[in-house]
Every structure is written in structure tokens, then in C-alpha cells.
Amino acid sequence: MSSELSRRGFLIRGAAIGGSLLLGGGLLSGCRDEQASTAQGVSTQSSTPKYGGRLRMGIIDGSKAGDLDAHKPTTASAIIRGFALYSKLWEWSEHMTPDLALAEEVEVNDDATLWTIRLKKDLEFHNGKTITADDLIFSTRRLSDPELASPYLGYVKWIDRDNLVKLDDRTVQIPIRGGTGLLSLPDAWVNFGGIVPVDYHPVTNPVGAGPFKLKEFVPGQRSVFTRFANFYKSGQPYPDELEIIDFKDEYARISALLSGQIDMANGVAPEQVTALNRNQNIQVITNQTHGFQSIDLNLSVEPFKDDRVRQAFRLMIDRQEVIDRALAGQGRVANDIYSPLDPTFNSAIPQRPYDPEQARSLIKQAGYEGLTVELTVGPGLSAVAGGSPVAQVFAAQAKKAGVNIKINQVDAATFGGPKRADWQLSCNSKLGGSFLHTASTVDSFLSSANKTHFADERFDTLFRQAISTKDLEKRTPLVHEAQQIQHDKGGLIIWSFVNTLDLASQSVGGLKPERSHFPTWRFDKLWLNQSV
């Protein structure tokens, strides 16, 4: 089979498909000179993993509508539970690139319209059943089923689900429809593409192949998992049990960590972390991700149809001040384009300055002197909740350019609801990822969530070529030109690449800073030193 795959085309064996295709074979090639993520108060216990105990993680959710669906997680807590319960074809590396997981070999043809995926040998589900090509086909069809109505369908809707081909018991061909390649398929699949058995049901039969098996699930309260002894990574995981506990507010979660009721807390707000930096009982993990915070201009409505107004808004934001005041310094200045760790990133584009006087002049030239706009935000800083502290700082800065910003604060459900693409101006944030995957979900013609309504014929042509070009040398100039167009004409004011902050007790081992957003979700790699 290996030689046959090699003859047919490009083959990856036990390596990172994202690194080899999107990052040109060198994960560090996109890291440039930026400093690595940092950790304060990191555990000094032995680096040798220890078995046993119950690892307890506190998350913010408390939704009584929580679920265990591998392909339709409806809350942040459901996604986290999925990392314990399900394994995917790919998993995130610490650089936020997709590494092979259940997949042993992956081949993609020259224009990325046909993927051939071969599973590892002797893989098992929690119920002891061997994972086969039939399960892969079932999982692919379920993930891409419009009737399932997954909020993540847009990531994989270009899979030709009706023409999947089983080559043998471990190998499946996945064609891409629409006449365009999908080089970003691994990135699109890795978070929500759990491989499940053909008799899977998220309520009556929530069986996966993740590091832990389900023991108990009480929506809005807690979920308990037990160690899966036949996990595909030999010898892992290490704890006997994993408990994920839901909290409704950050204060209660931090109190539980300090009192020893939980061992870890993920994605903690910067203002909560500041007071804990000197607490020697707590590990503070700072992850310098390339996830971004943005202010999104709706280019389909006035005044943002006028390019001079767009340029003015990009010039009137003091990015470092927003980082310092809204993120407590936990971020790095961005330049209105995303994916800085992708080797195709156009680093030659000069950093846009803060120039309120030039912004004022452009507003006047466009005939909008005395302009008032409405900025819609949710109650917090997360991707769902929307960024109200950011809005307050930006509104004060805009006054220096003669622009009045009215802040329209709504609840998280409204902010992420059907009107999310209608706001005149809104805050947003996104996970870091490759350029192709991010464009697919944010502002290209493939995106079903283009809040800015950005549309540019030349950009679409370049993107279509790039997502069908696996050769890095040929793809790079396409992306460079596409990013220049985004920088000049796009609707995203990307003001910061953000740090994510995780907390853990000193008893947690295996936890270290990453470029990804997920070090505390790596339940297969973490352990407890019960003597600490």
C-alpha cells in the first residue's frame, strides 16, 4: 500500500501534514525571531510522568444544554470534553499546526482536490471495536451532513460526501467538490472531526477513541472520564480519571483553584492572572498564540463603503494602548493581516502607524466630518462574547480623530446570533491558524461567516489559486499579494495577536507554554504528582 500511495502522488508518513504542506516542512520556519511563550511558577517536579489520580479541570460554562456531540459541539465546554473523548485524524502541534494522529499516511494530489487517508493499524474505540475505513466514512459523512446543522459545517462543506471511496479496510479517498482544492483540510478538521463508530449516537452511544472514556455527564455541572487503556498513544494517558467541572463565573473558578478543588483553569482573563503571578503554589502559563483580536468594519454599509473611511479607522487606533489597557499587556501589536507564523505571511508590509490627524483628514475628505458610528460588542473579550473593554478604549481614541463611537453592548447569545453579520462595526477574535484556513473561515469566498462582507475579485482569484497550490514556493507570492489587498482594502482592523493564559496547581505535570491555545486540553500528556 505504501509504495502504491507513493506512486500516485504526494505522501506524508508520520509527519505533520500542516507542517509539510502549509508550513513548507519547517514548523519553525514561520516563527521568525519572536520570543517563545513563557511560564511563571512552573512546576519543579520531576519531568517523568506519574500514573494515577483524578485530574480536575475547571471551565467557564454552566450551560444546562451542554452536549457530547463529536461533530456538533454547541458550547466551549463541549469542545473541551471532545478533546478527552474523541481522537481525530490530526491533532494540533504546540505550534498550532496539524500533526497526524489517527491517520498514518495522507496523500493529496497536485491541486488538493483529492485526499487519500490511511488509518494507523490496530486502532480501537472505547468499546473495543477496531477502527476501520467504514468508521472514517461514517464520521466524514456525519461531520459534513447539512441536516446535522453543525456550526462548523462551513469548515468542511466542500467535502464531496456522496463520493467517498473505500480503498481497503484502513484507507479512504475524499474528493473535494466545487472545482477548487482544499489544502487547508487538516486545519479545518482537527478540532471537530472526531472519528466515531458507525453506530455512534452522542446521547445513547457517545463512544470515541480519545484518551478517556465517559463515566458520568451532568450538563452544566460536571463530566467524569476514566483512563482508556488502549489509547493509540502507548502508555498514555496518565491519570486514572479526568473530571471537567463547569463554573458560571471566573471568581468561583479561581477560588476553587486556590482552595484545591480543581487542578487547572484554562483561558483565564488577564486581570484575574495579575494577582496570581507571585503565588508559588500556582503555575501561570502564558501562550503567545497567533490568535487575533479585531474590530470588524461592515463594508456593505455606509460609511465603510468608502475606502477613505476604512483607512481612517485603521489609523485612529493606538494598538499598543488597547493591548495595555484592555488586555493588561497580554498581546502583541498586529498589522491588520493574520497568520504571522505561516511562512507565506507577508512580513514586508510596513506596520500601519497611529495617526489620528491623518484619520481626521481622511474622514473630512470623504464628507463624513462629525461622523457617529455604532460599535456592537458582547460582555467580554472572547470570540463569542465580543470585547467590551476594547470598545471603551477605542471609542476614547476615535474622539481624537473627530469620530464619535456609540457602544451597543449586547449579551453573548445576541452577539453571536443571526444578526452578527449586520452590525455596522463590531469586535471579534479568532483562533490562530494557517493563512488558508483562516481566510476560509473569515473573509474569503469560502467563508460562511464573513462579518466584514469583504469581496474583491483579484483577492478571490489569488486565494483560489493558493488553496489549490501545495508547493510553498509557488504559493507564497500568491498569499503575499492577497495579504496586500487585505491590508489595503479589507474590513478587518486586526490590532493584536493575543496571549492565552492558563493556571494550574504545582501538582500538575506535563504542562508547558505553547504557540497553540490548548496546553491544558492535552489530557493525554498531563499527569498528577499526588505528593505535591
Side-chain angles (χ1 to χ4, degrees):
M1 183 65 198
S2 298
S3 59
E4 183 180 348
L5 280 174
S6 298
R7 286 195 301 270
R8 286 205 303 268
F10 186 84
L11 174 67
I12 299 161
R13 184 195 312 274
I17 184 88
S20 298
L21 289 180
L22 300 183
L23 298 188
L27 291 175
L28 296 180
S29 63
C31 292
R32 301 182 174 86
D33 295 327
E34 205 170 348
Q35 250 187 341
S37 301
T38 61
Q40 295 171 294
V42 170
S43 177
T44 56
Q45 63 174 283
S46 169
S47 61
T48 303
K50 293 178 172 57
Y51 288 93
R54 174 182 283 193
L55 180 65
R56 301 160 301 171
M57 181 177 184
I59 60 174
I60 298 294
D61 194 342
S63 170
K64 294 185 178 180
D67 64 89
L68 297 170
D69 199 312
H71 307 131
K72 190 182 178 180
T74 55
T75 63
S77 63
I79 296 171
I80 294 172
R81 286 190 292 269
F83 272 62
L85 197 53
Y86 305 109
S87 290
K88 294 95 172 179
L89 296 173
W90 293 272
E91 65 178 0
W92 290 121
S93 76
E94 64 183 58
H95 296 279
M96 198 69 181
T97 55
D99 283 352
L100 294 182
L102 296 184
E104 178 182 72
E105 298 176 348
V106 175
E107 173 205 353
V108 58
N109 68 350
D110 287 338
D111 62 0
T113 58
L114 184 66
W115 293 74
T116 303
I117 299 173
R118 187 183 187 193
L119 295 166
K120 289 181 169 74
K121 292 181 180 179
D122 302 323
L123 296 173
E124 282 189 23
F125 288 116
H126 296 153
N127 59 8
K129 177 188 177 297
T130 300
I131 302 175
T132 69
D134 293 327
D135 303 303
L136 174 51
I137 289 174
F138 171 81
S139 300
T140 305
R141 286 183 53 79
R142 187 175 189 275
L143 175 65
S144 58
D145 187 353
E147 293 188 7
L148 180 66
S150 169
Y152 308 103
L153 174 63
Y155 292 8
V156 294
K157 66 182 180 181
W158 301 103
I159 289 176
D160 190 352
R161 60 190 302 273
D162 295 324
N163 289 292
L164 307 179
V165 178
K166 176 181 176 180
L167 297 182
D168 59 39
D169 284 344
R170 292 167 47 209
T171 312
V172 173
Q173 279 190 340
I174 299 178
I176 306 301
R177 61 183 178 84
T180 299
L182 192 60
L183 195 60
S184 60
L185 179 64
D187 304 67
W189 198 308
V190 70
N191 268 0
F192 317 106
I195 303 303
V196 295
V198 294
D199 59 350
Y200 172 80
H201 190 280
V203 177
T204 61
N205 191 35
V207 170
F212 289 90
K213 302 183 293 184
L214 182 67
K215 178 180 180 181
E216 178 186 5
F217 175 46
V218 182
Q221 297 182 31
R222 65 200 288 263
S223 45
V224 181
F225 306 84
T226 59
R227 181 178 187 270
F228 179 37
N230 291 334
F231 184 54
Y232 76 96
K233 296 181 182 180
S234 180
Q236 296 173 246
Y238 304 109
D240 293 329
E241 292 187 322
L242 168 69
E243 182 176 15
I244 299 175
I245 303 171
D246 295 18
F247 290 86
K248 293 184 179 180
D249 63 79
E250 193 68 271
Y251 177 80
R253 183 168 67 151
I254 298 299
S255 296
L257 178 66
L258 293 174
S259 64
Q261 297 176 57
I262 61 174
D263 304 302
M264 300 188 302
N266 72 297
V268 180
E271 61 269 21
Q272 298 289 336
V273 172
T274 302
L276 298 174
N277 280 330
R278 296 182 181 180
N279 189 323
Q280 294 303 306
N281 296 318
I282 300 297
Q283 302 179 59
V284 179
I285 308 297
T286 303
N287 307 290
Q288 294 188 357
T289 78
H290 49 300
F292 64 83
Q293 290 271 357
S294 65
I295 296 172
D296 297 354
L297 314 177
N298 186 341
L299 307 186
S300 69
V301 300
E302 299 294 350
F304 299 116
K305 289 182 179 180
D306 192 309
D307 186 57
R308 291 168 295 185
V309 177
R310 302 182 206 177
Q311 295 294 343
F313 271 71
R314 296 188 186 104
L315 292 169
M316 70 177 66
I317 183 169
D318 184 335
R319 298 158 197 256
Q320 188 60 57
E321 184 186 30
V322 182
I323 292 170
D324 292 341
R325 294 181 59 191
L327 297 180
Q330 293 293 343
R332 288 139 287 135
V333 169
N335 192 30
D336 302 330
I337 50 177
Y338 42 73
S339 305
L341 298 188
D342 192 315
T344 65
F345 182 77
N346 192 346
S347 57
I349 297 175
Q351 175 65 48
R352 184 167 272 127
Y354 170 55
D355 192 340
E357 290 306 316
Q358 177 65 12
R360 182 189 291 270
S361 175
L362 288 168
I363 293 289
K364 184 176 181 179
Q365 291 174 34
Y368 283 104
E369 200 168 9
L371 176 65
T372 295
V373 295
E374 184 174 81
L375 173 57
T376 300
V377 300
L381 285 171
S382 72
V384 173
S388 55
V390 174
Q392 294 167 17
V393 179
F394 182 48
Q397 294 175 350
K399 288 182 179 180
K400 298 177 183 179
V403 174
N404 179 45
I405 293 181
K406 295 170 57 180
I407 299 175
N408 173 35
Q409 186 157 350
V410 298
D411 59 44
T414 301
F415 188 76
K419 293 184 177 181
R420 65 184 179 274
D422 297 336
W423 313 121
Q424 185 182 29
L425 192 63
S426 59
C427 291
N428 201 2
S429 63
K430 289 289 184 180
L431 297 182
S434 70
F435 170 81
L436 295 177
H437 175 61
T438 306
S440 296
T441 61
V442 173
D443 58 354
S444 75
F445 66 87
L446 289 182
S447 173
S448 57
N450 185 352
K451 288 177 62 183
T452 67
H453 301 274
F454 171 66
D456 182 271
E457 185 175 350
R458 178 58 181 165
F459 176 85
D460 287 347
T461 297
L462 292 164
F463 177 78
R464 190 183 298 274
Q465 293 173 349
I467 203 167
S468 303
T469 302
K470 69 185 183 187
D471 184 280
L472 177 63
E473 187 175 350
K474 294 178 180 178
R475 189 169 71 249
T476 297
L478 301 173
V479 175
H480 278 195
E481 185 180 348
Q483 288 197 312
Q484 186 68 64
I485 293 171
Q486 288 176 313
H487 192 263
D488 293 341
K489 302 179 181 180
L492 295 171
I493 302 176
I494 300 177
W495 52 270
S496 179
F497 298 112
V498 299
N499 301 338
T500 62
L501 304 172
D502 300 314
L503 302 176
S505 74
Q506 289 290 349
S507 63
V508 177
L511 187 60
K512 65 178 184 177
E514 298 185 352
R515 292 286 189 181
S516 85
H517 304 255
F518 312 115
T520 52
W521 302 16
R522 298 190 184 279
F523 304 122
D524 58 325
K525 295 182 178 180
L526 305 179
W527 70 86
L528 281 171
N529 184 347
Q530 299 178 70
S531 64
V532 174

